[in-house]
Amino acid sequence: MSRLISTETIERFRRNRNLHIGLILLLALVLASLIGPLVVPHDPLAIDFGNALTAPSLAHPFGTDDLGRDVLARVVAAAKVDLQVVAVCVLLPFLIGSAIGLISGYFGGWLDRILMRLVDILWAFPFYVLVISIVGALGPSIANMYLAFTLVVWISFARIVRGEVLLAKELDYVKAASVLGYSHVRIMFRHILPNVITPAIVFMMADVVLTILAVTSLGFLGLGIQPPTPEWGVMIADGRNFIQDGWWISLFPGLAIVLVGVTFTFLGDGLDDFLRPKA
């Protein structure tokens, strides 16, 4: 039986073209963020007024900005910064929200009512309004961005996992585990969680797209990562005043954001097909 399941799993993976494309693009992004700064010959922070607003050429494939900084070097350096921030801003809410949803759905009662009322209150406010309000009140910094996204995004994962737990805890295998005298911790984390976490994982891939847009939007508004650290949103904001004479300053970081969105869209679709195969 295990061999049959393993063979079916391998076959589903082999036929999952979206997952293949997503993994290849993700690998390319990670390699670019890690190896790119070592390969690109220019310093992303080096100012050279003599080469300011230079169009794309062999010496500067993505051109230079208004301070003469190499746009390719800055795009590559920003990839590591943005991907790191996005990873933390998605993983922390995923872990916290999944744990809260699991506990709330499993125990129910007054604890579930309190947690869900909190979720309903936060859910009533637009996502961007809450994030901008928190970062604006605390001040622009990476740590405050982590805090803002964690406080806002966890509610989505909590709602998803709680709904799945409410269905799963009524199934026979959970009731059997309870009759056998297993502890609540074992039932929750060994029997229920592995069977309800798939929708949250799939949603996490889609949430990456929203998060990368939010992170770069905060940078564009001056509430995110601060100069001179390279960041795609900040680069787009810097290039808006030179859109006619230096269109490349905003174009290439914008294309990088689109690439991240496409990558995790393919990953999300591929994981949905792989983890929840259709009949």
Side-chain angles (χ1 to χ4, degrees), residues 23-75:
L23 290 174
I24 291 172
L25 291 175
L26 180 61
L27 179 62
L29 284 172
V30 173
L31 289 178
S33 64
L34 295 177
I35 302 177
L38 303 177
V39 177
V40 177
H42 302 284
D43 185 347
L45 301 179
I47 296 176
D48 183 7
F49 289 109
N51 285 320
L53 295 179
T54 300
S57 62
L58 292 177
H60 301 280
F62 286 7
T64 62
D65 63 9
D66 56 308
L67 299 179
R69 297 173 297 190
D70 186 74
V71 175
L72 173 60
R74 292 181 61 78
V75 168

Side-chain angles (χ1 to χ4, degrees), residues 112-234:
D112 180 51
R113 289 193 294 270
I114 293 175
L115 291 174
M116 288 305 103
R117 294 300 77 76
L118 176 60
V119 168
D120 291 339
I121 292 173
L122 293 175
W123 194 264
F125 294 91
F127 168 78
Y128 282 104
V129 171
L130 279 179
V131 171
I132 292 175
S133 299
I134 294 173
V135 175
L138 298 179
S141 71
I142 294 180
N144 290 337
M145 288 178 60
Y146 292 160
L147 179 61
F149 279 92
T150 302
L151 291 176
V152 175
V153 179
W154 69 270
I155 59 177
S156 300
F157 296 104
R159 287 168 62 97
I160 293 172
V161 174
R162 174 184 176 271
E164 295 291 327
V165 172
L166 290 176
L167 297 175
K169 73 176 185 179
E170 300 299 328
L171 299 178
D172 292 338
Y173 74 91
V174 176
K175 295 180 179 179
S178 179
V179 171
L180 290 173
Y182 294 157
S183 67
H184 293 308
V185 174
R186 175 169 179 171
I187 294 174
M188 285 192 297
F189 289 95
R190 292 192 60 181
H191 298 276
I192 295 180
L193 185 60
N195 292 293
V196 303
I197 199 64
T198 295
I201 294 176
V202 174
F203 179 80
M204 180 173 62
M205 295 296 102
D207 190 56
V208 169
V209 180
L210 177 63
T211 302
I212 187 66
L213 291 176
V215 168
T216 52
S217 297
L218 288 175
F220 182 87
L221 296 173
L223 296 174
I225 299 169
Q226 298 299 295
T229 303
E231 196 276 326
W232 291 330
V234 175

Side-chain angles (χ1 to χ4, degrees), residues 55-56 239 242-252:
F242 307 95
I243 198 65
Q244 293 183 347
D245 299 325
W247 49 265
W248 52 86
I249 302 176
S250 297
L251 174 65
F252 291 110

Side-chain angles (χ1 to χ4, degrees), residues 55-106:
S57 62
L58 292 177
H60 301 280
F62 286 7
T64 62
D65 63 9
D66 56 308
L67 299 179
R69 297 173 297 190
D70 186 74
V71 175
L72 173 60
R74 292 181 61 78
V75 168
V76 171
K80 182 177 181 179
V81 175
D82 279 306
L83 292 178
Q84 175 183 326
V85 171
V86 169
V88 176
C89 289
V90 172
L91 285 176
L92 277 179
F94 168 74
L95 296 175
I96 295 173
S98 298
I100 292 176
L102 176 63
I103 294 171
S104 177
Y106 180 79

